[in-house]
Amino acid sequence: MPDTLDSTDRKILDLLQRDAALSVDQISEAVALSRNACWRRIKQMETAGIITARVALVDAAKVGAPLTAIVLIRTSNHDAGWITTFQQTLDRMPEVVGAYRMSGDLDYVLRVRVADVPAYDDFYKRLTSRISVSDVSASFVMEEIKETTAVPL
């Protein structure tokens, strides 16, 4: 289906990325389709895995996690057991809101949301007590200039 996305599908996706709470009627009106045709397109995109979830975005500061840390990790261990332990560790740490395996000098980059620097220190101690790493460093976000979950269409 990705190769067959037409401009109407892209408009539907754009609308849903901006507001997943829109009704099918609102979307169908905005893209000039009948309600049933619009509903079928949305269902096809869900079935094809193009639409993977519909979520509410939460203001992290208003729920007690205003500080974002970008955590850079290097490890000398790349075996399957370590990677499994690493993934399981991250899965059990809700502060980790993004985790990426990298090319280049770094092995992993984490995006972590916490209340403050002492909360980050607690996170750091729990992380390093559960997995073996060569180096961990963090930078704290001073200002969010752009943050989006929208995929460019």
Side-chain angles (χ1 to χ4, degrees):
M1 175 136 193
D3 294 337
T4 63
L5 290 178
D6 64 16
S7 62
T8 302
D9 293 324
R10 291 177 188 282
K11 287 177 189 173
I12 291 168
L13 290 172
D14 184 54
L15 289 165
L16 286 172
Q17 286 190 114
R18 285 195 247 157
D19 185 357
L22 289 173
S23 70
V24 174
D25 289 330
Q26 290 170 308
I27 297 168
S28 65
E29 184 176 320
V31 300
L33 277 181
S34 72
R35 181 184 199 292
N36 288 342
C38 185
W39 179 85
R40 277 193 303 276
R41 284 178 182 246
I42 292 169
K43 288 300 170 195
Q44 286 173 339
M45 288 188 280
E46 288 174 340
T47 300
I50 295 166
I51 297 173
T52 59
R54 297 189 201 195
V55 300
L57 301 177
V58 175
D59 184 320
K62 291 181 180 175
V63 295
L67 183 62
T68 301
I70 305 300
V71 181
L72 313 174
I73 296 176
R74 288 186 180 89
T75 183
S76 56
N77 193 344
H78 298 277
D79 66 54
W82 184 91
I83 292 169
T84 298
T85 301
F86 181 63
Q87 289 173 337
Q88 289 171 347
T89 298
L90 297 184
D91 285 344
R92 289 189 300 265
M93 301 182 91
E95 303 93 335
V96 178
V97 295
Y100 314 93
R101 187 168 60 88
M102 306 299 291
S103 64
D105 294 335
L106 293 171
D107 293 310
Y108 298 92
V109 173
L110 308 180
R111 193 163 50 92
V112 175
R113 282 285 195 170
V114 291
D116 50 27
V117 174
Y120 171 77
D121 188 45
D122 177 63
F123 165 82
Y124 171 86
K125 289 173 184 173
R126 287 183 291 118
L127 178 70
T128 57
S129 72
R130 295 174 184 170
I131 59 166
S132 171
V133 295
S134 300
D135 184 48
V136 177
S137 62
S139 294
F140 298 102
V141 173
M142 303 297 291
E143 175 184 11
E144 285 184 7
I145 296 169
K146 181 178 180 179
E147 174 79 13
T148 184
T149 60
V151 175
L153 301 170

